[in-house]
Amino acid sequence: MNKGKVYLVGAGPGDPKLITVRGLECLKDSDVVVYDRLASPRLLRYAKPGAEMVYVGKLPDRHTMKQEEINRLLVDLALAGKTVTRLKGGDPTIFGRVGEEAELLHENGIAFDIVPGITSAIAVPAYAGIPVTHRDLASSLSIVTGHESPDKLDRSIHWGKVTNATGTLLFLMGVAKIGYIADQLIKHGKPPQTPVALVRWGTRVEQQTIVGTLETIEAIVKDANFQPPAVIIVGEVVLQREKLKWYENKPLFGMRVMVTRARPQASEFADAIEALGGEPCEYPVIDIREPQDEQVIEVVRTSLEQAESYQWLMFTSVNGVDYFFRYLRRFGIDMRRFHAARIVAVGPKTAEALAARGLTVEELPVQFYAESLLDRVSEWLKPGDRALLPRGDLAREVLPKELRARGVEAVEIDVYETTIADTQDDLALDWLREGGIHMITFTSSSTVTNLLEVLRRRGIEEPVKLLGNIPIASIGPITTKTIQEAGLHAAVEAEASTLDSLLEAITAYNQERRGL
């Protein structure tokens, strides 16, 4: 069997978007991903389907796998013909022991690439608003390991030289030794008032920063029960933080938001959450697809063939627009045949989807649901009119029922159907169990009922109990009603039933939660 290849990849400091393009390419190309505690688990979603995941992470008090065993594992996987990505937090060459792994690969004749990553020593301070160099404050820096015991630190660090050698000192993995480190720096000439910052889980939503001086920082760490992993920054550059802490000032900083809508529609919302400093957790619980029943499709075809007979075309969702036009193409029906119909839409996104196809809607309701649409167009409805409603199979009956009450013939066609997504995201499930989700968003009644069903299928007997302590954001009153009927409570409801309004409500909630 041909030997495989190993990519020794720096995953960056935590934010998954800080991995390099080359690192992401390696991840997507590999049969096996060997990853540790400091590499963002969200990166694993980029691995190719069927790739094997092997966790070899280390905790301060225990090792899942010894370094020698990791070295041997990489060799064995490559000798079995596998393409392997060894995903390491930060940069693999800075206290990442990549030299030991690469050396054994070399001895066994296995090809490998070392792919640099963004080191936490620079990125984490930057996310805390601390540039590690500054023209007026520091023109050089030193990166030092703080992980060893005091006697080993004394053997590996020449305190007399390190203390005053550079403007900024950066200690990685030194939280437990912060008192000893501070004492040694003072002992060897650093003023006790020298600023110090510790940044925990930098570049992630869990990021925490504490600031003190060499003489006060140990007490501050103990009082805050500040735990690793963290980067320690010593030097005058720490004083820049109050002016430059850009990441922590973002409106959704500190919030991981679960997005439950269908994956094709989730990306724009997820991107907006990320732009505001939050972390989206995409956990789609609905799938949108064409109806599987041929009789339903035949009803769609025959209804569309009667294009000239409609006085109204009423769209209640973007999906309705998309699938309506799919069927026009499928059956070769020209949109111009609907020339007698006035077009109305529920919600600005639905109107935008129509405008993208060169169509202008008559009216937009102030509140973006079916009842308000009727309020706006009722004066133009005439008994005997025909209205075509391209909808989903779970659409509410309010609109067609009220149209018929006004003497309008409502022709409903199910141009798409909503099903429960086959969601298999163990990371999101772990976050739900461990309190790592700070808000769940529901954008329709089906996302509520489907999430509860998905959780039951994943072995959670009481999903309502699991979700009961997690704040919930609802897109509007109809979804809120479903949330309440399920036994849950909506902490946030969008003022208008749009994603933009929902995001504004979540942002206001987070600002209030943080006391801003």
Side-chain angles (χ1 to χ4, degrees):
M1 179 180 291
N2 294 329
K3 294 179 182 178
K5 181 171 183 175
V6 177
Y7 299 112
L8 302 165
V9 177
D15 182 340
K17 287 195 173 181
L18 293 181
I19 193 172
T20 64
V21 174
R22 178 58 179 150
L24 200 59
E25 290 174 347
C26 296
L27 188 59
K28 293 177 178 180
D29 184 49
S30 294
D31 305 307
V32 184
V33 179
V34 179
Y35 66 103
D36 64 28
R37 175 176 176 243
L38 299 181
S40 172
R42 288 173 64 200
L43 287 172
L44 303 182
R45 299 176 180 177
Y46 293 102
K48 69 181 182 182
E52 181 184 355
M53 306 295 169
V54 181
Y55 177 65
V56 294
K58 302 171 184 178
L59 297 174
D61 59 344
R62 65 177 173 86
H63 288 188
T64 299
M65 188 178 290
K66 294 180 179 179
Q67 184 62 51
E68 294 75 15
E69 295 173 331
I70 297 173
N71 301 346
R72 189 70 242 175
L73 173 66
L74 298 177
V75 170
D76 291 343
L77 289 169
L79 290 176
K82 305 287 188 180
T83 300
V84 183
T85 284
R86 169 69 170 111
L87 201 59
K88 305 168 75 71
D91 179 272
T93 67
I94 298 181
F95 308 132
R97 306 184 75 169
V98 73
E100 299 171 41
E101 295 174 354
E103 187 174 2
L104 192 61
L105 294 170
H106 172 73
E107 290 173 0
N108 285 270
I110 296 167
F112 63 88
D113 288 357
I114 298 177
V115 181
I118 299 175
T119 174
S120 61
I122 295 172
V124 167
Y127 267 59
I130 303 172
V132 293
T133 64
H134 187 283
R135 185 173 64 174
D136 298 327
L137 302 173
S139 58
S140 57
L141 60 96
S142 297
I143 303 174
V144 186
T145 179
H147 189 55
E148 305 290 356
S149 60
D151 61 322
K152 288 185 178 180
L153 281 176
D154 288 341
R155 290 198 300 270
S156 61
I157 301 173
H158 299 289
W159 291 104
K161 295 180 179 179
V162 167
T163 301
N164 298 297
T166 58
T168 303
L169 297 176
L170 301 159
F171 292 86
L172 305 188
M173 306 170 289
V175 176
K177 313 296 187 305
I178 184 61
Y180 185 79
I181 291 170
D183 289 343
Q184 289 301 308
L185 293 176
I186 293 172
K187 178 180 176 181
H188 288 86
K190 279 286 187 188
Q193 293 75 33
T194 302
V196 182
L198 277 77
V199 187
R200 180 176 188 265
W201 285 124
T203 78
R204 306 184 187 211
V205 294
E206 295 91 350
Q207 177 173 306
Q208 293 176 282
T209 305
I210 57 175
V211 177
T213 64
L214 285 177
E215 62 182 350
T216 64
I217 195 63
E218 181 180 15
I220 293 172
V221 167
K222 288 181 178 178
D223 289 345
N225 191 27
F226 203 77
Q227 300 296 318
V231 174
I232 302 168
I233 308 106
V234 180
E236 296 301 317
V237 291
V238 170
L239 299 177
Q240 294 292 302
R241 169 173 159 74
E242 285 307 310
K243 293 183 288 186
L244 304 182
K245 55 179 181 179
W246 62 276
Y247 181 49
E248 294 169 30
N249 286 339
K250 288 200 169 192
L252 286 185
F253 171 73
M255 180 168 280
R256 182 176 290 115
V257 182
M258 177 170 279
V259 180
T260 56
R261 67 195 322 234
R263 196 173 296 280
Q265 286 82 41
S267 59
E268 182 180 353
F269 190 40
D271 288 345
I273 291 170
E274 201 158 41
L276 292 174
E279 179 181 317
C281 171
E282 294 185 46
Y283 196 70
V285 295
I286 60 174
D287 273 337
I288 305 298
R289 66 182 187 184
E290 288 189 3
Q292 304 300 294
D293 189 330
E294 289 296 328
Q295 291 183 338
V296 173
I297 295 175
E298 180 60 21
V299 169
V300 172
R301 187 190 66 78
T302 56
S303 299
L304 294 177
E305 286 287 2
Q306 301 168 32
E308 294 83 359
S309 69
Y310 300 109
Q311 285 73 48
W312 297 94
L313 260 178
M314 296 185 173
F315 294 94
T316 57
S317 70
V318 173
N319 287 322
V321 175
D322 291 343
Y323 280 88
F324 172 80
F325 280 91
R326 288 190 193 189
Y327 280 111
L328 290 186
R329 291 192 297 271
R330 178 171 173 177
F331 299 130
I333 298 172
D334 193 325
M335 180 64 197
R336 288 172 293 185
R337 290 179 57 187
F338 289 90
H339 60 86
R342 301 174 75 168
I343 303 173
V344 293
V346 174
K349 293 297 183 182
T350 307
E352 288 174 14
L354 291 164
R357 293 167 170 86
L359 302 174
T360 303
V361 299
E362 293 283 351
E363 286 289 333
L364 279 175
V366 177
Q367 293 295 325
F368 304 122
Y369 42 92
E371 289 87 337
S372 58
L373 182 148
L374 283 171
D375 292 339
R376 298 294 293 270
V377 302
S378 58
E379 62 181 284
W380 300 317
L381 294 172
K382 298 176 182 178
D385 281 354
R386 297 190 84 209
L388 182 64
L389 282 64
R391 295 144 51 88
D393 62 323
L394 299 182
R396 296 185 307 131
E397 289 300 310
V398 172
L399 183 57
K401 182 179 178 180
E402 291 299 322
L403 286 171
R404 290 171 187 136
R406 290 167 169 77
V408 175
E409 181 185 352
V411 179
E412 303 172 70
I413 53 174
D414 293 343
V415 293
Y416 67 92
E417 64 182 21
T418 303
T419 63
I420 296 179
D422 183 20
T423 302
Q424 299 293 331
D425 193 328
D426 292 331
L427 173 60
L429 201 57
D430 289 343
W431 275 335
L432 281 174
R433 289 185 172 121
E434 298 166 6
I437 298 295
H438 308 118
M439 179 159 280
I440 301 172
T441 59
F442 290 122
T443 54
S444 66
S445 292
S446 58
T447 58
V448 180
T449 55
N450 284 16
L451 177 60
L452 295 175
E453 179 58 28
V454 166
L455 294 177
R456 291 188 191 98
R457 293 182 181 183
R458 298 299 305 276
I460 297 174
E461 296 181 359
E462 298 181 89
V464 172
K465 184 177 180 180
L466 175 66
L467 304 182
N469 294 322
I470 303 174
I472 290 172
S474 167
I475 200 167
I478 295 166
T479 302
T480 298
K481 182 180 178 183
T482 305
I483 291 168
Q484 294 169 341
E485 290 172 347
L488 296 167
H489 168 71
V492 170
E493 181 181 290
E495 186 173 338
S497 299
T498 67
L499 290 178
D500 288 342
S501 181
L502 181 60
L503 200 58
E504 290 173 4
I506 295 170
T507 299
Y509 174 90
N510 193 48
Q511 297 288 80
E512 183 178 351
R513 180 179 71 93
R514 296 174 60 197
L516 300 176

